[in-house]
Amino acid sequence: DTAVSQTPKYLVTQMGNDKSIKCEQNLGHDTMYWYKQDSKKFLKIMFSYNNKELIINETVPNRFSPKSPDKAHLNLHINSLELGDSAVYFCASSQEDTLYQETQYFGPGTRLLVL
Amino acid sequence: GQNIDQPTEMTATEGAIVQINCTYQTSGFNGLFWYQQHAGEAPTFLSYNVLDGLEEKGRFSSFLSRSKGYSYLLLKELQMKDSASYLCAVMDSNYQLIWGAGTKLIIKP
């Protein structure tokens, strides 16, 4: 009954490869996000999707592409992986409530190591 | 530019009280969040403030002053399991969350 789940939890791969990370939420939320947390522990927003439409796209390389087959899923595909892509990637989801509070709930993270 | 400032690291003693401060400068304000993140785990929601004042939730309380661009998280009766990073985040006028770098809290016996 995990609220926000991600797979895989760990991903070790070679430079130049293409990989995908999957995210699913069973909270019925309208918005999902991808964050990158680097070695300095700073959380950086990469993308957010609201009802299958991209509403935030920060200055990330176009090697990163989010794909949302439906409201409950937001997958992250990465082409031509580089050493600097090594980080922890967190998926999150949120829903605006009647008090306009939009708490984000995070998945467990995917630890990506590019060799 | 938008900026969230919080101390990098704090140390406190088990059973004591600690206050973690956060100051912010953002384009607009739609609420301030505090998250807890244990090493190797995902951030988890602690509190949300949108109006000035103190919100109490068990051993944790969060305070907000919008005029001063200031918040603090107060942790009472500290336990060893409270050792974690505490992240301050502000929702700006575009409803985007602006994150601080986090405060690493070390609890000593």
Side-chain angles (χ1 to χ4, degrees):
Chain A
D1 59 347
T2 304
V4 183
S5 59
Q6 295 178 229
T7 54
K9 190 169 182 180
Y10 299 95
L11 183 55
V12 181
T13 188
Q14 300 285 336
M15 267 176 47
N17 284 350
D18 302 337
K19 291 293 179 185
S20 290
I21 308 172
K22 295 184 177 181
C23 178
E24 176 180 1
Q25 55 96 4
N26 62 7
L27 297 167
H29 287 171
D30 285 332
T31 308
M32 295 182 72
Y33 310 80
W34 275 108
Y35 284 90
K36 178 181 180 181
Q37 190 172 44
D38 59 24
S39 56
K40 295 181 179 178
K41 307 302 181 188
F42 195 77
L43 270 170
K44 178 183 174 183
I45 182 75
M46 298 180 73
F47 302 104
S48 90
Y49 255 73
N50 180 279
N51 287 327
K52 298 178 68 175
E53 290 186 33
L54 182 67
I55 58 171
I56 300 175
N57 186 350
E58 294 294 310
T59 54
V60 299
N62 57 15
R63 298 183 294 104
F64 291 80
S65 54
K67 291 182 176 17
S68 181
D70 55 57
K71 197 173 88 164
H73 296 84
L74 182 64
N75 303 326
L76 183 65
H77 189 75
I78 315 169
N79 289 327
S80 304
L81 278 157
E82 299 178 358
L83 294 177
D85 298 334
S86 295
V88 182
Y89 292 82
F90 287 103
C91 175
S93 72
S94 70
Q95 177 76 24
E96 184 179 307
D97 67 15
T98 54
L99 297 177
Y100 303 103
Q101 177 178 340
E102 198 155 344
T103 301
Q104 294 184 14
Y105 295 88
F106 285 78
T110 296
R111 286 136 192 89
L112 172 65
L113 178 61
V114 182
L115 301 175
Chain B
Q2 308 206 86
N3 198 42
I4 309 285
D5 285 317
Q6 48 181 134
T8 304
E9 188 174 296
M10 299 181 71
T11 303
T13 305
E14 191 177 13
I17 298 173
V18 71
Q19 177 175 311
I20 303 174
N21 295 326
C22 171
T23 57
Y24 62 88
Q25 291 175 308
T26 57
S27 54
F29 179 84
N30 280 302
L32 185 144
F33 295 80
W34 283 98
Y35 279 79
Q36 180 190 60
Q37 186 176 24
H38 285 101
E41 297 183 11
T44 55
F45 170 75
L46 287 178
S47 68
Y48 171 75
N49 295 69
V50 68
L51 299 176
D52 289 349
L54 189 68
E55 295 277 344
E56 296 187 75
K57 196 184 289 186
R59 294 189 299 114
F60 292 7
S61 303
S62 56
F63 171 83
L64 174 68
S65 168
R66 287 172 297 172
S67 61
K68 294 181 180 178
Y70 167 70
S71 172
Y72 67 72
L73 181 69
L74 191 71
L75 292 77
K76 302 176 185 175
E77 301 169 16
L78 284 169
Q79 301 175 10
M80 297 303 293
K81 67 178 182 180
D82 298 330
S83 292
S85 287
Y86 291 86
L87 306 172
C88 174
V90 172
M91 187 161 282
D92 69 9
S93 57
N94 294 320
Y95 293 93
Q96 293 187 40
L97 262 187
I98 312 300
W99 292 86
T103 298
K104 183 178 180 181
L105 178 62
I106 300 168
I107 310 295
K108 295 186 174 178

